[in-house]
């Protein structure tokens, strides 16, 4: 910040604390004007940020600007909304204490925009995850929704917030957003039914009519022309050139979707908005006997349909009221004025409660999710308070009274916390605290809120008093109760001069910011804000889920009178004060430079009015009561060390000693400064300015020193070059060799440099920095690939490619494999193809299941193990047209007794036969074959399971074959029963007869042996290995 002090004559000072004449309001405003003229809209008062609305877009809110302020000390660079946002965020993380930012100012000063900028800063700069991105979007999108339903065009601002908003943003221990919560205060419900000249109703009504599609408007029975609705033309300003209601409607619909509103909820919400417009067009007539009736039945029907209530019940409730006297209920008709008031009260109640439901729904969307965060113990909070500033209008009523009461409480809190933080800093640094004289506005707060004697208590009491009460009787009671208070004046109590400018219906309060006259007309009605009981009963029966949530049946049953509006606001304000007191506050004070919303125009009278009502001069006096400037030792020493020979260029001792040496050399007087434990405190801005001017004057000397050093270095380098050249000339015979060596080294360096740079940029797109390296990588890989190509289709090895050639390598590998496969296939003869098919089937059946399988892989399967001559001619004749496809010698074991018998097993296309020399002993049809069982050991046993029921098949066959894998593979392929082969690791069961089973047990032994066991089982001893 100090770097801008030298330009203070042109752009002013960045911190009002540094103003020499800090008691002068004119000097304060002139500093604001200078900075505003240079588009410097932000200025500090210590840690308070003063913001002037520029009424134009400035290039100071980019992501680059956010990064510039991120993690930077508060005073290091120029004032900005991002600086206070970042300072608050860092304080929350380092001190683990909840923070809050209080944004205040009058309508049109830029409070809403300031809160948006803070939210955007946190959304962009805070660490996020996928679910946090969604939460950040919802936080940002809550603004357009709340603005649509809670903002309106006023005389001072086209987008004026007509409610107060406090938002808590929750952060986890890593500093990432994880939830949010919004509190709203004092929605201006009276705007629904009445607007001053030149003002509009809430934005949502105009957005719906201008942006809603035809089908939606037909559903709501609405027309596009806002002049058709009485609630929208009271201010005679339905259209505003600076507002695009159609575009805003699109933004609001998208925001509702992002926040999580369902289509049904949106439709119910819009039904309520449409019903308010129809309710405003519901008119009444008065009969000859004074009875009131509704003249616009169609409008009433639309209202009932959209609200989801019974039309006749609504009609009755709008024209009659229910009274309870001595336990009995009576129905009393309403006169014309009472009916109109009941209609308007219903419109205000429906809209106000719907707005509260909307805030509640947004809070549910922003709420901390238990499934994502198992515990919120480590959570910290930053609160954002965007609330109306002090208001002084031509006619000040109940709303201005509440708003200004709120500002009195905030000013009281502001002064207390500012003094407290100042005192804590002084005590931390060991500086004696001096008592500060300031105006304590507690006397005004007590005047308004004191129990039984405060203005709010008197107002409530007057509303509850039986008999005829009116606003004038309330004023008279005020005069009787608080008439002697020094900050309260009425026409009756005032002197002659004051009476000339005060109405008999007004009372004046002397606020901290100035005098305000309040007109009591309407105070009682607005404080009562009651809805007839029978209207509540109708709304409780609504089929619209939003309204049934807003109007509880308990309200009708409960005979207790609801709390008055002023007391409600007072209690909610007390809770807000508790929330703010529990947090470390930061402040943003917003100022409107002119009423015309023109960029570059600075209205001094208007600005002076706001400076006064914001209490900025009071804040400055409190801040300047002690020392104007304070900095940590290291920052002060780093900046001003060139001014002292002892500290220049570097100070190696204790920081406090270095600062002490520096200020002694500069000639600071004892009353001008104090040294704390880690900071220096300077009392007068003039002392700092003198120091800064001395630094500015010292800069040319510093520049000369730097120039001298540079020139000396340059001359020494020149001398070294000359000396080197002389040595080269004197050493001519080494010159050529040296040059050649140098040339080779240079080339090597360039090559290495290109390689290193290419390696660094290897993951980037092909460019000048990495082209040589990437080309070399490609060339090396391809060269290596040529030497190490697989020679066989069985060889799956492949050189590992670099990252940039993974895709190309995959293509080359597929192409090479395809090429090898094509070449191999072309060389394969039909008999080899048949052999491979059989080997594949054998692998599927026996691999990793039978121990003898690996020995069979390398041995060819023969077409037959029997020569043609070995097969009996008689057998061949018996087979007829069935040709023998495969034959092999086997030993058949009887199922009973297990007697071995040599046999021939012949396989045809449809069946297999067991032959004893010239006679076919057993025929086994493939269709009847139920399974083939072999053991997992190195024996040659195979069991062919055949059905016992069929006498032709003769039951299971127990065979021993020296080529069991070959036999089973061919049999399974011919019978198409490869899935029927069972490789059993233990015993094999077989059918002896229809009712009896036999078992073959297998054990390991030194040699193959098949014999009957002790238990009547067939015992097969398998050798360790076999070539089966």
């Amino acid at each position: 910040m100090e770097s801008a002090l030298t330009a203070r004559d042109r752009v002013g000072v960045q911190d009002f604390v540094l103003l020499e004449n800090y008691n002068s309001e004119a000097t304060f405003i002139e500093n604001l004007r200078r900075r505003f003229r240079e588009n410097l809209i932000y200025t500090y008062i210590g840690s308070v940020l003063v913001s002037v609305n520029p009424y134009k877009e400035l290039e100071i809110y980019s992501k680059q600007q956010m990064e510039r302020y991120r993690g930077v000390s508060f005073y290091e660079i120029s004032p900005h909304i991002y600086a206070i946002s970042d300072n608050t965020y860092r304080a929350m993380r380092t001190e683990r204490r909840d923070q809050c930012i209080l944004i205040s100012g009058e309508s049109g000063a830029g409070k809403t925009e300031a809160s948006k900028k803070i939210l955007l800063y946190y959304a962009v700069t805070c660490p996020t995850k996928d679910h946090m991105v969604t939460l950040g979007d919802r936080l940002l999108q809550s603004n357009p929704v709340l603005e649509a339903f809670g903002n309106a065009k006023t005389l001072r601002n086209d987008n004026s917030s007509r409610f107060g908003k406090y938002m808590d943003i929750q952060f986890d221990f890593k500093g990432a957003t994880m939830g949010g919560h919004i509190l709203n205060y004092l929605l201006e419900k009276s705007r629904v039914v009445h607007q001053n000249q030149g003002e509009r109703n809430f934005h949502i009504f105009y957005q719906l009519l201008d942006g809603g599609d035809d089908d939606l408007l037909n559903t709501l029975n609405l027309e596009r022309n806002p002049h058709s609705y009485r609630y929208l033309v009271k201010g005679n300003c339905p259209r505003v050139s600076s507002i695009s209601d159609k575009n805003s409607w699109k933004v609001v619909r998208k925001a509702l979707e992002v926040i999580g509103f369902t289509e049904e909820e949106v439709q119910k919400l819009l039904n309520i908005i449409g019903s308010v417009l129809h309710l405003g067009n519901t008119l009444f007539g008065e009969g000859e006997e004074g009875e009131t009736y509704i003249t616009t039945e169609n409008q009433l029907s639309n209202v009932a349909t959209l609200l989801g209530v019974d039309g006749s019940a609504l009609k009755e409730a709008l024209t009659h009221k229910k009274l309870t006297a001595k336990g009995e209920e009576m129905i009393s008709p309403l006169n014309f004025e009472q009916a109109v008031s009941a209609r308007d009260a219903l419109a205000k109640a429906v809209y106000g409660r719907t707005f509260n439901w909307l805030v509640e729904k947004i809070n549910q969307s922003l709420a901390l999710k238990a499934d994502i965060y198992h515990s919120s113990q480590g959570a910290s909070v930053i609160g954002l308070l965007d609330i109306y500033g002090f208001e002084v209008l031509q006619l000040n009523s109940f709303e201005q009274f509440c708003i200004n009461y709120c500002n009195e409480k905030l000013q009281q809190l502001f002064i207390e916390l500012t003094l407290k933080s100042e005192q804590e800093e002084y005590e931390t640094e060991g500086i004696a605290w001096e008592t500060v004289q300031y105006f304590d506005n507690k006397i005004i707060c007590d005047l308004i809120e004191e129990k039984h004697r405060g203005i709010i208590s008197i107002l409530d009491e007057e509303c509850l008093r039986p008999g005829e009460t009116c606003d004038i009787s309330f004023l008279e009671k005020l005069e009787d109760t608080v008439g002697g208070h020094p900050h309260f004046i009425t026409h009756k109590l005032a002197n002659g001069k004051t009476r000339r400018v005060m109405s008999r219906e007004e009372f004046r309060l002397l606020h901290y910011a100035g005098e305000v006259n309040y007109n009591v007309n309407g105070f009682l009605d607005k404080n009562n804000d009651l809805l007839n009981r029978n209207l509540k009963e109708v709304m409780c029966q609504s089929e619209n889920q939003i309204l049934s949530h807003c109007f509880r049946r308990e309200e009708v049953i409960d005979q207790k009178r609801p709390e008055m509006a002023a007391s409600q606001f007072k209690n909610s304000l007390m809770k807000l004060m508790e929330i703010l007191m529990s947090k470390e506050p930061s402040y943003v004070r917003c100022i409107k430079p002119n009423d015309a919303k023109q960029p570059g125009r600075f209205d001094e009278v208007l600005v002076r009015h706001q400076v006064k009502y914001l209490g900025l001069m009071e804040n400055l006096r409190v801040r300047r009561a002690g020392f104007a400037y304070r900095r940590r030792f290291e920052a002060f020493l780093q900046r001003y060390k060139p001014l002292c020979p002892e500290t220049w260029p570097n100070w190696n001792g204790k920081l406090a000693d270095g600062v002490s040496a520096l200020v002694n050399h500069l000639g600071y007087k004892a009353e001008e400064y104090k040294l704390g434990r880690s900071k220096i405190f300077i009392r007068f801005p003039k002392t700092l300015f003198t120091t800064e001017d001395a630094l500015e004057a010292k800069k040319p000397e510093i520049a000369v020193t730097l120039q001298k050093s540079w020139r000396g270095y340059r001359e020494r380098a020149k001398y070294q070059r000359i000396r080197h050249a002389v040595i080269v000339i004197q050493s001519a015979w080494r010159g050529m060799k040296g040059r050649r060596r140098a040339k080779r080294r240079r080339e090597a360096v360039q090559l290495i440099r290109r390689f290193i740079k290419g390696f660094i940029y290897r993951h980037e797109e092909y460019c000048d920095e990495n082209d040589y390296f990437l080309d070399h990588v490609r060339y090396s890989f391809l060269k290596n690939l040529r030497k190490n190509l697989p020679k066989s289709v069985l060889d799956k090895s492949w050189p590992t490619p670099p990252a940039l050639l993974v895709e190309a390598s995959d293509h080359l590998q597929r192409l090479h494999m395809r090429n090898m496969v094509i070449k191999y296939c072309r060389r394969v003869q039909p008999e080899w193809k048949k052999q491979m098919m059989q080997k594949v089937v054998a692998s599927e059946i026996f691999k990793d299941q039978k121990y003898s399988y690996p020995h069979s892989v390398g041995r060819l399967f023969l077409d037959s193990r029997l020569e043609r001559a070995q097969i009996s001619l008689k057998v061949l004749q018996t087979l007829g047209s069935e040709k023998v496809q495969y034959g092999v010698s086997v030993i058949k074991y009887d199922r009973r007794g297990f007697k071995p018998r040599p046999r021939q097993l012949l396989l045809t296309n449809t069946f297999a036969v067991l032959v004893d020399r010239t006679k076919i002993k057993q025929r086994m049809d493939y269709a009847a074959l139920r399974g083939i069982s072999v053991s997992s050991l190195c024996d040659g046993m195979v069991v062919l399971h055949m059905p016992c029921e069929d006498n032709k098949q003769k039951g299971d066959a127990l065979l021993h074959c020296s080529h069991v894998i070959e036999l089973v593979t061919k049999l399974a392929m011919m019978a198409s029963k490869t899935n029927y082969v069972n490789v059993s690791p233990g015993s094999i069961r077989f059918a002896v007869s229809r009712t009896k089973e036999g078992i073959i047990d297998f054990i390991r032994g030194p040699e193959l042996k098949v014999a009957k066991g002790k238990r009547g089982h067939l015992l097969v001893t398998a050798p360790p290995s076999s070539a089966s």
Side-chain angles (χ1 to χ4, degrees):
M1 186 185 77
E2 293 86 349
S3 58
L5 291 179
T6 52
R8 59 186 179 272
D9 293 335
R10 179 173 58 86
V11 301
V13 293
Q14 295 184 158
D15 192 336
F16 285 109
V17 172
L18 298 178
L19 287 175
E20 190 67 31
N21 189 6
Y22 66 91
N23 282 313
S24 169
E25 189 178 80
T27 304
F28 187 98
I29 294 173
E30 179 58 28
N31 192 65
L32 269 183
R33 186 206 305 275
R34 287 182 180 179
R35 297 184 61 76
F36 179 75
R37 193 166 53 226
E38 298 292 332
N39 287 327
L40 300 172
I41 62 171
Y42 296 117
T43 313
Y44 292 137
I45 305 178
S47 60
V48 178
L49 182 70
V50 179
S51 170
V52 182
N53 193 340
Y55 289 120
K56 63 181 179 181
E57 291 294 329
L58 298 178
E59 300 297 325
I60 59 173
Y61 301 109
S62 63
K63 191 171 182 179
Q64 290 78 9
Q65 284 286 337
M66 294 183 187
E67 291 299 328
R68 180 176 175 232
Y69 283 88
R70 186 177 182 180
V72 177
S73 179
F74 191 60
Y75 293 107
E76 283 187 20
I77 47 181
S78 55
H80 201 290
I81 191 75
Y82 292 159
I84 203 165
S85 305
D86 186 75
N87 188 62
T88 303
Y89 177 75
R90 285 189 293 112
M92 175 203 70
R93 292 207 62 191
T94 55
E95 300 173 14
R96 308 307 300 171
R97 182 177 177 186
D98 292 347
Q99 306 285 316
C100 64
I101 302 176
L102 280 63
I103 308 171
S104 62
E106 72 172 53
S107 179
K111 301 187 298 297
T112 302
E113 285 301 313
S115 65
K116 286 181 185 177
K117 297 291 188 255
I118 294 171
L119 280 177
L120 182 62
Y121 181 82
Y122 291 146
V124 171
T125 60
C126 292
T128 57
K129 295 180 182 176
D130 292 342
H131 55 271
M132 296 176 184
V133 171
T134 303
L135 177 62
D137 291 340
R138 289 177 176 177
L139 278 170
L140 293 175
Q141 293 300 327
S142 64
N143 274 317
V145 174
L146 292 175
E147 286 181 15
F149 287 85
N151 289 22
K153 191 265 181 197
T154 64
L155 292 173
R156 296 185 172 188
N157 184 6
D158 290 345
N159 187 34
S160 176
S161 297
R162 306 317 299 162
F163 69 103
K165 178 177 72 174
Y166 175 79
M167 174 186 284
D168 267 339
I169 310 168
Q170 296 166 320
F171 298 84
D172 64 12
F173 71 98
K174 294 181 180 178
T177 52
M178 64 177 189
H181 190 269
I182 297 171
L183 298 175
N184 62 297
Y185 299 95
L186 197 67
L187 177 72
E188 189 185 16
K189 294 183 291 185
S190 61
R191 183 168 292 273
V192 175
V193 299
H194 175 77
Q195 307 91 44
N196 294 327
Q197 188 69 21
E199 296 188 349
R200 296 206 311 177
N201 210 322
F202 293 104
H203 292 323
I204 188 62
F205 295 109
Y206 308 95
Q207 292 171 0
L208 172 62
L209 296 182
D210 201 16
D213 56 47
D214 294 336
D215 291 340
L216 175 60
L217 295 183
N218 290 336
T219 304
L220 302 177
N221 290 316
L222 294 176
E223 304 175 15
R224 288 206 181 274
N225 187 5
H227 289 91
S228 304
Y229 302 99
R230 292 176 176 269
Y231 280 168
L232 303 186
V233 295
K234 295 289 182 71
N236 198 25
C237 184
R239 305 278 185 190
V240 181
S241 59
S242 63
I243 298 176
S244 174
D245 292 316
K246 183 177 291 186
N247 292 339
S248 299
W249 170 257
K250 295 176 183 177
V251 173
V252 170
R253 286 307 302 264
K254 181 181 178 182
L256 288 170
E257 182 180 340
V258 171
I259 292 171
F261 283 78
T262 64
E263 284 297 325
E264 182 182 3
E265 287 173 333
V266 172
Q267 187 60 51
K268 298 290 185 186
L269 183 62
L270 297 179
N271 285 351
I272 295 173
I273 300 304
S275 71
V276 172
L277 295 178
H278 288 301
L279 195 59
N281 284 2
T282 302
L283 304 179
F284 300 92
E286 194 170 11
E288 294 179 358
E289 298 180 3
E291 74 279 6
T292 304
Y293 59 91
I294 294 175
T295 61
T296 51
E297 293 289 342
N298 288 339
Q299 296 291 349
L300 184 66
S301 175
N302 290 335
V303 173
T305 301
L306 294 175
L307 292 179
V309 299
D310 181 65
S312 58
L314 179 62
K315 179 179 179 181
E316 177 72 13
L318 286 172
T319 54
H320 295 77
K321 66 179 177 180
K322 188 178 291 186
L323 301 174
T324 303
K326 296 182 180 180
E328 295 184 2
E329 287 188 351
M330 297 181 294
I331 304 297
S332 171
L334 301 176
N335 60 32
F336 183 82
E337 291 78 9
Q338 289 173 334
V340 171
S341 296
R343 177 200 65 190
D344 291 347
L346 178 61
K348 290 188 290 183
V350 165
Y351 191 87
R353 297 191 186 199
T354 301
F355 184 80
N356 291 336
W357 173 87
L358 186 69
V359 174
E360 184 180 331
K361 179 70 178 175
I362 292 173
N363 284 335
Q364 293 173 6
S365 173
L366 301 178
L368 190 67
K369 301 297 187 294
D371 56 340
I372 297 175
Y373 301 97
H374 303 294
S375 173
S376 61
Q377 291 179 357
S380 299
V381 168
I382 294 180
L384 283 182
L385 179 64
D386 172 7
I387 202 157
Y388 13 65
F390 206 90
E391 282 194 1
V392 183
L393 307 178
Q394 290 293 329
L395 180 64
N396 301 293
S397 188
F398 179 77
E399 291 83 5
Q400 283 68 46
F401 173 76
C402 291
I403 288 171
N404 294 343
Y405 164 50
C406 173
N407 276 269
E408 283 287 355
K409 294 295 290 182
L410 287 174
Q411 176 69 7
Q412 184 183 18
L413 176 75
F414 175 58
I415 294 297
E416 285 181 8
L417 293 181
T418 301
L419 281 172
K420 181 182 176 183
S421 64
E422 282 284 289
Q423 188 171 358
E424 285 177 353
E425 184 175 14
Y426 277 50
E427 291 174 355
T428 302
E429 293 296 322
I431 305 291
W433 173 251
E434 301 172 6
T435 304
V436 177
Q437 297 298 326
Y438 68 98
F439 171 65
D440 186 355
N441 65 336
K442 183 178 184 298
I443 186 173
I444 305 173
C445 295
D446 291 344
L447 170 63
I448 298 173
E449 67 187 12
E450 188 179 2
K451 272 190 176 184
H452 307 305
R453 289 185 53 81
I455 294 175
I456 291 177
S457 296
I458 297 169
L459 179 60
D460 289 349
E461 186 180 324
E462 192 66 13
C463 289
L464 296 172
R465 183 170 63 84
E468 289 295 325
T469 59
C470 62
D471 296 317
I472 297 300
S473 66
F474 162 62
L475 182 60
E476 291 172 351
K477 191 161 187 177
L478 283 179
E479 291 173 338
D480 295 339
T481 309
V482 297
H485 198 283
H487 292 267
F488 177 85
I489 302 174
T490 63
H491 184 276
K492 178 180 177 181
L493 302 174
N495 56 35
K497 183 178 179 181
T498 305
R499 285 182 180 181
R500 287 196 291 269
V501 295
M502 280 189 70
S503 163
R504 295 183 184 275
E505 300 171 342
E506 291 181 341
F507 67 90
R508 175 182 293 179
L509 293 183
L510 277 63
H511 289 283
Y512 76 93
E515 301 171 349
V516 183
N517 293 345
Y518 298 100
N519 193 302
V520 295
N521 287 331
F523 258 63
L524 266 62
D525 289 341
K526 291 176 181 178
N527 189 45
N528 266 318
D529 197 22
L530 293 179
L531 195 63
N532 290 340
R533 181 180 171 188
N534 42 345
L535 278 174
K536 285 184 181 179
E537 290 176 350
V538 173
M539 299 312 297
C540 287
Q541 298 170 2
S542 171
E543 296 176 358
N544 187 312
Q545 286 82 1
I546 298 176
L547 291 176
S548 62
H549 176 83
C550 295
F551 290 88
R552 302 285 185 180
R553 293 189 179 277
E554 292 79 6
E555 282 189 69
V556 180
I557 299 171
D558 190 4
Q559 297 296 322
K560 185 180 178 181
R561 186 179 181 89
E563 202 173 27
M564 299 295 177
S567 293
Q568 284 181 10
F569 182 67
K570 170 188 168 183
N571 293 335
S572 63
L573 194 57
M574 292 300 181
K575 292 178 182 177
L576 176 62
M577 292 299 113
E578 291 177 9
I579 292 172
L580 298 180
M581 286 294 289
S582 68
K583 295 175 172 56
E584 191 71 27
S586 300
Y587 304 93
V588 179
R589 297 292 195 236
C590 299
I591 291 178
K592 180 168 64 172
N594 61 80
D595 276 327
K597 311 178 193 70
Q598 292 180 0
R601 179 179 166 188
F602 191 89
D603 186 338
E604 186 175 333
V605 175
L606 179 64
V607 172
R608 178 178 287 108
H609 171 87
Q610 293 171 82
V611 168
K612 180 180 179 183
Y613 289 167
L614 286 171
L616 298 183
M617 293 302 298
E618 188 76 12
N619 176 36
L620 177 57
R621 280 191 287 271
V622 170
R623 190 69 169 75
R624 273 295 303 271
F627 295 87
Y629 174 90
R630 62 211 64 179
R631 280 296 179 274
R632 299 191 68 83
F633 288 153
E634 54 265 34
F636 186 82
L637 193 59
Q638 179 64 28
R639 179 164 186 80
Y640 298 114
K641 65 182 179 180
L643 299 178
C644 176
E646 295 180 49
T647 58
W648 176 255
N650 292 302
W651 174 261
N652 298 319
K654 292 182 179 179
L655 291 174
D657 295 340
V659 173
S660 179
L662 178 58
V663 296
N664 288 334
H665 180 78
L666 292 173
Y668 282 15
K669 296 178 182 178
E671 65 272 12
E672 291 181 334
Y673 78 99
K674 292 284 185 186
L675 292 181
R677 295 189 177 95
S678 64
K679 294 181 181 179
I680 178 174
F681 291 74
I682 298 178
R683 187 178 298 277
F684 307 114
K686 184 177 180 180
T687 305
L688 178 64
F689 295 157
T690 303
T691 306
E692 190 63 33
D693 292 340
L695 178 62
E696 194 67 21
K698 186 76 173 179
K699 284 180 180 179
E701 184 180 335
I702 298 172
V704 169
T705 302
L706 294 174
Q707 288 173 351
K708 285 162 59 178
S709 299
W710 163 248
R711 287 170 182 163
Y713 168 77
R714 187 179 61 184
E715 291 304 317
R716 284 193 299 275
K718 182 178 178 181
Y719 165 75
Q720 292 295 335
R721 287 196 301 272
I722 294 172
R723 181 174 178 273
H724 177 71
V726 168
I727 292 173
V728 170
I729 293 172
Q730 291 175 344
S731 307
W733 68 272
R734 290 180 296 175
M736 184 63 67
K737 186 178 180 180
R739 283 192 296 275
R740 287 178 180 175
R741 187 185 301 117
K743 182 179 179 181
R744 286 196 300 271
R745 288 177 178 174
R746 280 196 300 272
E747 291 173 350
V749 166
Q750 290 174 358
L751 185 62
I752 293 170
R753 182 179 296 143
R754 293 184 70 180
F755 263 77
I756 293 173
K757 185 174 287 187
F759 180 80
I760 293 171
Y761 290 93
R762 66 189 183 280
H763 298 303
E764 304 293 333
E765 294 291 332
Y766 192 83
C767 59
D768 293 340
E769 282 78 7
N770 62 12
D771 55 355
Y772 187 83
F773 178 80
L774 297 183
D775 290 344
H776 177 77
V777 169
R778 292 190 182 98
Y779 175 76
S780 299
F781 173 70
L782 294 175
K783 187 175 179 181
N784 179 51
L785 182 61
R786 186 180 67 176
K787 296 178 181 179
N788 296 284
L789 283 173
K791 305 299 182 185
S792 165
V793 291
L794 298 178
D795 185 1
K796 301 299 182 183
S797 64
W798 189 263
T800 303
L804 69 158
L805 288 178
V806 171
E807 187 177 353
S809 175
D810 292 343
H811 285 302
L812 289 173
Q813 188 175 9
R814 287 194 294 271
L815 288 172
H816 181 66
M817 181 57 68
R818 189 183 303 168
N819 186 40
M820 287 196 299
V821 169
I822 291 171
K823 288 181 179 180
Y824 182 83
C825 291
R826 286 174 181 171
R827 294 197 303 268
V828 173
Q829 299 300 324
E831 58 271 16
W832 278 102
K833 184 175 182 181
K834 180 180 177 183
Q835 185 74 217
M836 290 180 66
M837 291 175 65
Q838 293 176 1
K839 288 293 185 179
V840 169
V841 172
S843 173
E844 292 174 353
I845 295 173
F846 297 107
K847 187 177 181 181
D848 298 330
Q849 296 196 64
K850 191 163 180 68
Y851 292 126
S852 59
Y853 170 72
H855 298 282
S856 70
V857 173
R859 298 172 181 262
L860 297 178
F861 287 172
L862 301 184
D863 290 340
S864 179
R865 293 286 174 176
L866 297 175
E867 298 292 338
R868 183 75 174 179
Q870 292 178 279
I871 304 174
S872 171
L873 184 59
K874 184 179 178 180
V875 172
L876 293 174
Q877 289 175 348
T878 303
L879 294 176
S881 59
E882 291 290 340
K883 291 184 179 182
V884 176
Q885 301 296 330
Y886 177 77
V888 65
S889 296
V890 299
I891 297 175
K892 176 183 177 295
Y893 291 88
D894 291 345
R895 293 191 295 277
R896 293 184 175 87
F898 305 121
K899 183 176 181 180
R901 301 177 189 275
R903 295 283 188 268
Q904 289 180 340
L905 180 62
L906 305 179
L907 305 182
T908 69
N909 287 327
T910 58
F911 58 85
V913 292
L914 279 172
V915 177
D916 180 12
R917 296 175 185 166
T918 61
K919 186 177 180 180
I920 297 176
K921 287 293 188 177
Q922 184 176 354
R923 170 175 169 155
M924 295 169 282
D925 292 331
Y926 294 154
L929 182 63
R930 294 192 300 181
I932 304 169
S933 295
V934 295
S935 79
S936 61
L937 302 179
C938 299
D939 59 90
M941 292 300 298
V942 58
V943 179
L944 306 181
H945 299 283
M946 304 300 295
C948 296
E949 298 82 7
D950 189 351
N951 293 329
K952 293 181 181 180
Q953 304 297 335
K954 295 185 179 180
D956 294 352
L958 281 60
L959 306 176
H960 179 275
C961 178
S962 300
H963 308 282
V964 65
I965 291 178
E966 178 180 292
L967 167 61
V968 173
T969 300
K970 289 181 178 289
L971 177 60
M973 290 179 68
M974 289 180 185
S976 300
K977 293 193 176 183
T978 56
N979 294 331
Y980 286 69
V981 179
N982 174 36
V983 181
S984 175
S987 302
I988 297 178
R989 294 181 178 273
F990 62 91
V992 177
S993 63
R994 293 183 183 180
T995 59
K996 186 176 180 181
E997 279 189 343
I999 298 175
I1000 304 174
D1001 292 327
F1002 296 89
I1003 62 174
R1004 297 180 185 271
E1007 59 182 12
L1008 178 65
K1009 184 178 178 182
V1010 181
K1012 186 175 181 180
K1014 293 180 180 180
R1015 294 184 295 173
H1017 299 175
L1018 181 62
L1019 181 63
V1020 179
T1021 304
S1025 61
S1026 173
S1028 297

